[in-house]
Amino acid sequence: MDNQTNFTPANPESITVFTTYFICELIIALLAVVGNSAIIVAFLSNRKLRTTQNYYIVSLAAIDFSMGFIAIPFVLITLDGTPYDNKGLCFFFLTCIVLMDLCSIFSVMALTVDRYLAICKPFSYHAIMTPRRTLIHISIAWIVPIAISLLVPLGWNIDDKSKSGCFFADIVSMKYYTFLYVVCFLPLFFIMCGMYRKIFIVIQSQVLYKFEFLPTFKFAALSYKL
């Protein structure tokens, strides 16, 4: 098979690079599974941790756990074009990889919105982010990525009968790549940058106010004692 022949490392140096990459990915996957499992178990076993704000942390931990348990193994499996001559399983692997990536990005976005409201609108935060709205917010961060990732098996792919390997670049359409970057990644990136900039400004102003106010307060208290 041409794709498999092209991918197979032809010299010891290439084999070393491939092996190092493979081992690093496995270590990352293991750390993601173990670390995020601990977060999920702690949340479920300790009632004090079951706060509205921590729902976002647990949702992100669940996604990162899935990245280590599902997405990274699928990436490693498809490195050499496996599975061959099985488009259904290939689409399943690639869809899961795209889904986990999108869920991670959208969940970080949801967490950013929550932190933005908590810091920039503290007096109205609890009225806005009720437990019900929080669950809806988190659900959207999962449902939208699911809908977008399903575009690959539903038709937004390269149906090339001459290629039997399951290589990402040979299956996923370049138009789909463009769609992901233009509609999903870039807008969310700039929105999050804007929110974190506002958060930084608010925190900076609070810190400056604190350092300006405390000396005056201490001087007034000292004068009162004298």
Side-chain angles (χ1 to χ4, degrees), residues 13-202:
E13 184 178 347
S14 298
I15 295 175
T16 302
V17 172
F18 173 76
T19 304
T20 303
Y21 170 77
F22 196 91
I23 294 173
C24 289
E25 286 283 14
L26 286 179
I27 293 173
I28 293 172
L30 180 62
L31 293 175
V33 170
V34 174
N36 290 288
S37 296
I39 294 175
I40 295 171
V41 170
F43 178 83
L44 295 176
S45 60
N46 192 336
R47 288 184 175 273
K48 293 182 179 180
L49 295 178
R50 299 177 196 173
T51 62
T52 303
Q53 296 89 337
N54 286 341
Y55 288 166
Y56 293 96
I57 303 296
V58 173
S59 175
L60 190 57
I63 293 169
D64 289 340
F65 172 88
S66 301
M67 286 286 288
F69 192 74
I70 299 174
I72 293 179
F74 285 178
V75 169
L76 297 178
I77 290 172
T78 57
L79 279 178
D80 68 342
T82 304
Y84 283 90
D85 300 316
N86 191 336
K87 291 297 183 183
L89 188 58
C90 177
F91 280 136
F92 175 73
F93 284 175
L94 298 184
T95 300
C96 286
I97 294 170
V98 173
L99 173 61
M100 293 300 103
D101 289 337
L102 288 174
C103 281
S104 180
I105 294 170
F106 275 84
S107 292
V108 172
M109 177 66 195
L111 180 62
T112 301
V113 172
D114 178 73
R115 294 299 85 203
Y116 171 81
L117 292 174
I119 295 173
C120 300
K121 300 181 182 297
F123 298 108
S124 57
Y125 171 77
H126 291 289
I128 297 173
M129 298 306 296
T130 61
R132 181 173 177 272
R133 288 177 180 172
T134 299
L135 293 176
I136 293 174
H137 197 191
I138 294 173
S139 298
I140 292 173
W142 281 80
I143 293 172
V144 173
I146 291 174
I148 295 174
S149 62
L150 287 176
L151 293 175
V152 176
L154 291 178
W156 213 341
N157 56 73
I158 303 172
D159 190 13
D160 191 347
K161 303 296 183 182
S162 64
K163 297 179 179 179
S164 59
C166 186
F167 292 98
F168 211 96
D170 292 341
I171 301 297
V172 180
S173 170
M174 185 57 65
K175 292 181 180 179
Y176 184 74
Y177 283 117
T178 305
F179 169 78
L180 289 181
Y181 279 101
V182 174
V183 177
C184 299
F185 297 155
L186 290 180
L188 293 182
F189 172 75
F190 287 117
I191 291 172
M192 284 190 286
C193 286
M195 287 185 173
Y196 279 118
R197 178 179 178 275
K198 179 64 176 177
I199 289 172
F200 174 78
I201 293 173
V202 171

